[in-house]
Amino acid sequence: CGPCKALTPIFQSLSDEMGGQFAFAKLNGDSEPQLRQNLNITGYPTLIFMKDGKEVGRHIGGASRDQLVNMTNQYFK
């Protein structure tokens, strides 16, 4: 989808910058329907923030770089 494509370079940039502190992963929900169902993903893009195997935050829809940085800081610092 358009928002997913717009988010991809931002996500990759943050992964490169912050990957030493956090693990970043992408999932193509159309290719992985069972995992999409297990994670209760109902819209794209869906950002799920997890800590110690538990979901600590979720954002559905597009986001700017600043929004992603703020969400990461909110959930993990």
Side-chain angles (χ1 to χ4, degrees):
C1 70
C4 294
K5 289 178 183 176
L7 189 59
T8 296
I10 297 168
F11 187 84
Q12 185 62 52
S13 173
L14 289 177
S15 176
D16 292 343
E17 289 175 28
M18 304 167 90
Q21 297 171 293
F22 309 105
F24 288 79
K26 285 188 343 182
L27 161 72
N28 181 332
D30 293 334
S31 303
E32 300 288 341
Q34 187 62 49
L35 185 54
R36 181 184 71 223
Q37 183 178 1
N38 291 349
L39 293 171
N40 194 32
I41 295 172
T42 58
Y44 297 121
T46 297
L47 303 171
I48 302 173
F49 300 86
M50 300 184 84
K51 184 174 183 177
D52 299 325
K54 305 261 189 238
E55 183 175 326
V56 295
R58 180 178 289 243
H59 175 82
I60 300 172
S64 70
R65 178 179 172 74
D66 288 343
Q67 288 173 310
L68 286 176
V69 169
N70 288 338
M71 285 185 264
T72 301
N73 289 332
Q74 174 186 348
Y75 295 125
F76 298 111
K77 291 191 177 184

